[in-house]
Amino acid sequence: MASSLTCAGALWALLSLLCAAASCVGFFMPYWLLGAQMDKPVSFGTFRRCSYPVRDEERQTTVMLEQCGRYASFGAIPSVEWRICTVVTGAGCGLLLLVALTALMGCCISDLISRTIGRVAGGIQFIGGLLIGSGCALYPLGWDSEEVQQTCSNNSDQFQLGSCQIGWAYYCTGAGAACAMLLCTWMSCFAGKKQKHYPY
């Protein structure tokens, strides 16, 4: 099978896939912010949450339902900042995934990725990483929402965690974006083979 990638390009394709996977897994998992409410562990993502209070009509009390799920609607996400973060980070993950899959196809298909296409793909990865990084930077602006304050001992605010802590998924998303912006963008410049010019 012919490849359109150099050795550095094959490494770029693999690294692109790993960066995209790290960012996408981190984005989807609801472990960006960890805290506790009613002595139960609670965690948040940008559009998902684990453990939430529900009203028990039989006992006439509020109990914590220990399940993970998405918010019922986009408008139900606790803050405007988290809604923007969801859109921006999701778009960035989509771009990284698109480039990673294209790079993997370049391993199997000749003449798919030229030097110019590789550089364009690197530019797209840089934009994708920048979008994800922007989403990660916006996320702490939503820590002043009522849901987060209830979980963080009522003393969280923008960029102040209170009793909560940042979870592994936040770091995973950010690390994938940083790797895509720095390493993958640089390696993409050396990914494609020089195209042969045939005299006709």
Side-chain angles (χ1 to χ4, degrees):
M1 221 179 321
S3 171
S4 61
L5 297 174
T6 60
C7 289
L11 188 59
W12 166 69
L14 177 64
L15 195 59
S16 295
L17 182 66
L18 293 175
C19 291
S23 290
C24 290
V25 166
F27 172 60
F28 186 73
M29 299 304 285
Y31 302 108
W32 282 42
L33 184 66
L34 310 173
Q37 190 175 351
M38 297 170 65
D39 298 323
K40 302 283 184 189
V42 176
S43 59
F44 296 93
T46 59
F47 64 97
R48 298 181 73 210
R49 176 183 174 153
C50 287
S51 298
Y52 45 92
V54 292
R55 184 81 180 148
D56 186 351
E57 294 301 329
E58 284 183 16
R59 297 186 215 156
Q60 293 296 311
T61 58
T62 302
V63 295
M64 288 300 284
L65 186 61
E66 295 185 71
Q67 291 180 348
C68 294
R70 290 188 317 265
Y71 287 99
S73 67
F74 187 71
I77 294 174
S79 69
V80 174
E81 294 86 1
W82 281 14
R83 288 181 213 132
I84 296 168
C85 177
T86 299
V87 171
V88 168
T89 307
C93 286
L95 289 176
L96 291 189
L97 209 51
L98 176 70
V99 172
L101 294 176
T102 304
L104 284 178
M105 285 191 294
C107 292
C108 306
I109 301 170
S110 63
D111 299 328
L112 178 66
I113 298 181
S114 64
R115 289 238 169 128
T116 304
I117 298 293
R119 289 178 180 140
V120 168
I124 293 170
Q125 283 179 309
F126 186 82
I127 292 167
L130 200 60
L131 286 170
I132 295 169
S134 300
C136 289
L138 281 171
Y139 190 72
L141 293 173
W143 293 349
D144 63 346
S145 69
E146 186 180 345
E147 275 189 48
V148 175
Q149 287 184 339
Q150 289 170 355
T151 303
C152 302
S153 305
N154 290 317
N155 57 2
S156 69
D157 201 357
Q158 292 182 343
F159 294 97
Q160 293 179 355
L161 284 169
S163 62
C164 290
Q165 59 185 5
I166 295 173
W168 65 266
Y170 182 84
Y171 293 117
C172 186
T173 307
C179 179
M181 282 179 67
L182 302 174
L183 280 176
C184 291
T185 300
W186 174 71
M187 289 182 73
S188 70
C189 296
F190 313 104
K193 292 180 180 174
K194 280 188 179 176
Q195 288 186 319
K196 296 173 185 171
H197 297 287
Y198 299 103
Y200 291 107

